[in-house]
Amino acid sequence: MARRRSRRPYPPLNGASLLLLLALLGLFLLFEWWQNRPQPLPVAAGGVESYFMPQDGEQAKARLIALMGQARTRLDVAAFEFRDLEIARALLDAGRRGVAVRLYSDRDYQRETRAYIVGAAQGQRGNEPKLTRQEVQAQIQSIDQRCERVVTLQVCYDSRTAFMHHKFVIPDALGVWTGSTNLTWNAFARNNENSLWLPSADLANAYRAEFEALWGGLETGRGQPARFAFPGLNGTVYFSPEGGRDGRQAILNRLRAVRREVWIAAFVLTDNEIVRLLGEAGRRGVKVRAVLETRNLAASKDQEMKNAGVEVRRDANPYTLHDKVMVLDREWVITGSYNFSNNAFRDNNENLLIFQSKPLAERYAREVEAIWKAGKPLN
């Protein structure tokens, strides 16, 4: 009969062994936390904030609404599309606090603007208001040919065939919220977008001067560029169409000066001169990579860019790649509401920001690179 081995009890842990085990457990838990830690939204020196949708969408919208809540005297909003009940509610709340709220929008989206403001006033939740035409019409009071009062908010619309394509918010003189992001729920929740909070009274005044011109009936705007600076960041904002040619020339100048790499994420790219300079950059040895919104490939110069040596991909977002971004040498960023098109500098109301900041350029480059890698090569 086989003899059974007796089980030896494990030796008791001494103090040193116990400390080692706890240290290893602590390192494991620290590693797990580091891998799954919430990523803080970066704040550059001077308080500049950058947000990328859809991953930052909830935080970005909450931050925008909080900034609106800080307004005490004036809150000016220029929005190509306005379709968000939460943001509409923030505007109505500001008006109830005695803040002078002005919303300037594109006439093509007048119906949506009205419905979302009325829906917010009725306390509706979700993504889209549920209203009859009569319910909306009952809350509208005409002021003149361009302007009306919707519930308690004064709203004016452009009357041109070109787009009023701005997306910016100015609470008092606290700063400017701007970028590619329309004030719509799907822009924050679904699309590839970017937004910046630039806390500068001087920049707020420059944007407000442009807003005042539009609001007062000068629908092509003033077009006066304005410089802005923060610690480690300096740049210029341009306003189309009056200042559009200056803005376009500034883009072309930056492309002529690029030395190492260009990353592009674009809703549309139809400017032939930009395509030509991208090809020239490639022949100088610059790495040029671009990702374009899939549904606009027929309009964009994708094949021309490919023929010029640019590595072009179509985006993989089932919704919309709505960015208008170039990152040059991981030092310069070009962004704003400005699509890289002829209409953007000749016809539309746009704001274009060109700034130098290595930390923000690195963040933008990582975002565009991720979108590019997820994209699909052209056929």
Side-chain angles (χ1 to χ4, degrees):
M1 182 175 180
R3 187 171 58 186
R4 300 178 68 183
R5 291 184 178 179
S6 62
R7 294 185 180 179
R8 295 181 181 177
Y10 289 106
L13 289 174
N14 57 32
S17 299
L18 182 59
L19 286 175
L20 178 60
L21 181 61
L22 290 174
L24 290 173
L25 179 61
L27 286 172
F28 174 76
L29 293 174
L30 180 62
F31 176 77
E32 285 293 301
W33 172 84
W34 181 259
Q35 290 291 99
N36 300 289
R37 72 195 188 281
Q39 297 296 319
L41 297 173
V43 179
V48 176
E49 302 171 22
S50 58
Y51 300 86
F52 296 105
M53 276 47 82
Q55 63 268 33
D56 296 341
E58 289 186 14
Q59 297 97 320
K61 189 193 290 188
R63 179 61 169 141
L64 175 58
I65 289 172
L67 290 166
M68 291 177 170
Q70 293 179 29
R72 293 294 174 265
T73 58
R74 294 184 295 180
L75 180 55
D76 292 328
V77 178
F80 174 57
E81 291 185 66
F82 189 88
R83 290 187 290 114
D84 190 286
L85 287 167
E86 293 177 277
I87 295 175
R89 194 155 46 248
L91 295 181
L92 291 164
D93 288 345
R96 282 191 285 270
R97 296 195 309 271
V99 177
V101 180
R102 298 184 294 181
L103 172 60
Y104 190 72
S105 189
D106 190 271
R107 186 168 295 279
D108 287 350
Y109 293 94
Q110 184 177 34
R111 181 177 62 84
E112 291 85 349
T113 300
R114 290 170 164 178
Y116 276 84
I117 294 172
V118 174
Q122 292 187 0
Q124 294 196 14
R125 305 281 173 172
N127 292 332
E128 298 184 9
K130 296 176 176 59
L131 297 160
T132 66
R133 183 178 178 182
Q134 291 75 18
E135 287 175 311
V136 174
Q137 200 65 39
Q139 297 296 325
I140 298 168
Q141 178 185 352
S142 178
I143 297 174
D144 55 37
Q145 289 185 334
R146 298 174 62 244
C147 302
E148 62 189 16
R149 189 170 300 281
V150 183
V151 189
T152 59
L153 298 182
Q154 187 171 351
V155 185
C156 292
Y157 307 90
D158 77 309
S159 62
R160 304 185 312 137
T161 55
F163 288 154
M164 200 306 295
H165 200 241
H166 287 305
K167 311 97 169 40
F168 65 77
V169 179
I170 319 167
D172 290 339
L174 298 175
V176 177
W177 175 282
T178 190
S180 72
T181 315
N182 285 307
L183 301 189
T184 66
W185 66 268
N186 60 305
F188 287 95
R190 291 176 168 177
N191 298 348
N192 292 114
E193 310 269 11
N194 74 99
S195 287
L196 287 164
W197 167 242
L198 299 156
S200 162
D202 290 341
L203 196 59
N205 291 335
Y207 270 83
R208 184 160 277 121
E210 184 72 10
F211 184 91
E212 292 286 0
L214 299 174
W215 189 263
L218 184 60
E219 295 185 322
T220 56
R222 294 172 71 245
Q224 295 298 311
R227 293 191 58 77
F228 57 94
F230 300 87
L233 184 155
N234 65 85
T236 305
V237 59
Y238 301 88
F239 297 100
S240 297
E242 283 299 310
R245 283 171 172 77
D246 290 339
R248 182 194 189 223
Q249 191 59 53
I251 294 174
L252 301 181
N253 290 343
R254 291 262 48 93
L255 288 174
R256 292 187 182 101
V258 70
R259 290 293 174 262
R260 298 184 303 279
E261 66 174 22
V262 180
W263 287 100
I264 300 170
F267 178 64
V268 67
L269 201 161
T270 59
D271 189 319
N272 284 320
E273 189 64 8
I274 288 178
V275 174
R276 186 182 71 79
L277 289 177
L278 290 174
E280 281 190 6
R283 288 189 289 275
R284 293 198 306 272
V286 176
K287 180 178 73 175
V288 184
R289 289 178 171 174
V291 56
L292 304 175
E293 161 59 35
T294 298
R295 75 172 185 262
N296 284 335
L297 287 177
S300 293
K301 303 288 184 179
D302 58 311
Q303 289 299 330
E304 291 89 337
M305 292 170 68
K306 185 178 178 181
N307 294 341
V310 178
E311 297 182 63
V312 185
R313 291 188 177 185
R314 54 193 176 96
D315 83 291
N317 189 332
Y319 299 103
T320 303
L321 166 64
H322 196 243
D323 281 313
K324 306 95 169 51
V325 172
M326 291 188 189
V327 189
L328 300 90
D329 292 337
R330 296 187 183 248
E331 184 171 354
W332 287 88
V333 177
I334 299 171
T335 188
S337 70
Y338 183 105
N339 287 306
F340 303 118
S341 68
N342 294 325
N343 289 339
F345 78 86
R346 289 191 311 213
D347 303 314
N348 296 346
N349 297 117
E350 309 276 9
N351 64 105
L352 166 70
L353 299 108
I354 302 178
F355 58 85
Q356 184 180 28
S357 166
K358 287 185 178 180
L360 273 177
E362 180 63 34
R363 174 156 162 77
Y364 270 84
R366 288 199 303 268
E367 172 68 9
V368 177
E369 184 176 5
I371 298 171
W372 188 87
K373 285 181 176 178
K376 300 176 183 177
L378 298 181
N379 295 330

